[in-house]
Amino acid sequence: MRWGFVGTGKIAQRIMVAFELVPDAQVVAAYSRNVPAMHAFCDQWNIPKRYETVDELVNDPDVDIVYLATPHIVHYEHTVKALQAGKHVLCEKPMAMSRQETEALVALAREKGVFFMEALWTRFFPIYYWLRDLIASGEMGKVSNVMADFSSHNEYDPEYRFFKKELGGGAMRGAGIYPLSLATMVFGEMPSEIMSMADMRNDVDLRSAALLRFPCGGTAQIYTGFRGESVQGANIAFERGSVWIPDFWHPDKAVVRTKTDTKVVEMPFVFPGFQFEIIETMKCIREGKLECEIMPLDESIQLAEVTDKMYAQW
């Protein structure tokens, strides 16, 4: 299958490493508003077609799937162009800047009859297939609580996109989707109650914490930020034990503890790990699916709504 890249920045570089691991995926075209950087990217990865507008790329008949790797402030604009051109789309998280935008994109994808998915790569690591099977089996009882944090320290720069509202800045949309989506995946539903707080500067959330209650009775505590390092781990509390996942956003192991035993489940992968979502996307398209059950479109809409509610509280 032939892919076109919209955006050639840092995330695109990391994803291209993964494409080298998927022999039946070929990147044939790229676009970037930074033309010299785009040419350097294409030279580096032997990408033949180079476009200076999104419209040219999405209307190229040789492109089957568009990977949106631009900053999320322009995801809506670029995704609309790709969907209207009838292309399948894998869009970096978050899919858009609000529930309203996300819902509109999903409606357009369904109208056009093309595959569309939010590229939440964490869902597709082998450890999470194992975890979903463990939860479904009931072997350790029901899940009662999830704790997850994802934070890193970045020097404050009011002009950098992390910290600038006009560029889509804010830790919750940029990084908080990792702990939030882990909690919703584990419980299989959206929270019914949300209590959150944030450290704001120039209308941008630098870090935030939230307590969530789910309809099933389970709870979650999530933390995210751009102004402080965290362990970036997740703990899932079951009735009969717990699962600790180090580096939960790209995990290769889990520590399972019960009252009588501790064991480590190891599932190593080849760096960088984006290959799993690429493989799953193409599998779905070949099977004629318009969305992926591991990262369904309605969940993307609901995650955007939860994020909207947090920003409203702040």
Side-chain angles (χ1 to χ4, degrees), residues 147 149 231 233-236 242-246 253-257:
M147 290 193 299
D149 66 86
V231 295
N235 191 76
I236 298 100
S242 66
V243 174
W244 166 252
I245 304 177
K253 64 181 176 182
V255 181
V256 184
R257 294 186 176 92

Side-chain angles (χ1 to χ4, degrees), residues 90 93 107 232:
L90 184 58
K93 53 81 190 163
Q232 299 185 357

Side-chain angles (χ1 to χ4, degrees), residues 80-266:
V80 165
K81 289 178 182 292
L83 294 175
Q84 286 180 334
K87 302 299 185 186
H88 304 297
V89 176
L90 184 58
C91 179
E92 262 305 314
K93 53 81 190 163
M95 188 179 282
M97 292 294 291
S98 67
R99 177 192 169 113
Q100 183 179 11
E101 286 188 353
T102 306
E103 205 164 29
L105 292 177
V106 169
L108 181 58
R110 288 170 172 166
E111 175 192 330
K112 295 294 183 179
V114 294
F115 179 86
F116 185 35
M117 188 174 79
E118 188 170 22
L120 195 61
W121 66 316
T122 52
R123 288 279 171 99
F124 301 94
F125 281 88
I127 279 291
Y128 286 122
Y129 285 88
W130 167 84
L131 178 63
R132 289 189 290 266
D133 287 343
L134 177 67
I135 294 169
S137 73
E139 177 186 336
M140 295 179 67
K142 293 182 179 179
V143 178
S144 59
N145 189 69
V146 174
M147 290 193 299
D149 66 86
F150 185 75
S151 179
S152 60
H153 184 73
N154 299 267
E155 292 302 319
Y156 184 79
D157 178 355
E159 296 305 311
Y160 185 52
R161 68 181 183 90
F162 280 5
F163 304 111
K164 194 175 182 67
K165 184 178 182 180
E166 294 79 7
L167 298 179
M172 186 61 213
R173 287 196 178 97
I177 192 169
Y178 287 123
L180 173 61
S181 65
L182 174 68
T184 61
M185 182 195 78
V186 166
F187 287 115
E189 57 188 8
M190 291 294 131
S192 52
E193 293 181 57
I194 304 166
M195 298 175 62
S196 66
M197 60 186 71
D199 175 16
M200 304 289 290
R201 188 169 177 181
N202 297 327
D203 291 328
V204 170
D205 53 304
L206 304 183
R207 55 192 178 90
S208 66
L211 175 63
L212 312 173
R213 185 195 300 276
F214 291 81
C216 66
T219 52
Q221 298 90 45
I222 63 173
Y223 173 76
T224 193
F226 288 149
R227 294 287 287 162
E229 295 292 337
S230 71
V231 295
Q232 299 185 357
N235 191 76
I236 298 100
F238 292 80
E239 291 174 311
R240 294 189 289 277
S242 66
V243 174
W244 166 252
I245 304 177
D247 297 320
F248 79 96
W249 57 294
H250 62 163
D252 61 2
K253 64 181 176 182
V255 181
V256 184
R257 294 186 176 92
T258 66
K259 288 183 177 180
T260 58
D261 188 33
T262 297
K263 67 176 182 179
V264 178
V265 177
E266 295 190 87

Side-chain angles (χ1 to χ4, degrees), residues 1-4 24 26 28 57-58 60-67 82 85-89 114-115 282 285:
M1 290 189 179
R2 300 165 299 179
W3 293 69
D24 56 344
Q26 181 184 9
V28 299
L57 183 141
V58 300
D60 183 339
D62 290 335
V63 172
D64 302 311
I65 313 168
V66 173
Y67 198 114
K87 302 299 185 186
H88 304 297
V89 176
V114 294
F115 179 86
M282 296 195 299
I285 292 170

Side-chain angles (χ1 to χ4, degrees), residues 1 3 22 24 65 115 124 129 275-294:
M1 290 189 179
W3 293 69
V22 187
D24 56 344
I65 313 168
F115 179 86
F124 301 94
Y129 285 88
Q275 61 268 26
F276 301 121
E277 66 176 7
I278 295 167
I279 292 167
E280 183 64 26
T281 294
M282 296 195 299
K283 177 175 178 287
C284 287
I285 292 170
R286 289 186 174 120
E287 292 175 356
K289 296 178 180 178
L290 301 184
E291 60 182 289
C292 175
E293 61 185 14
I294 297 172

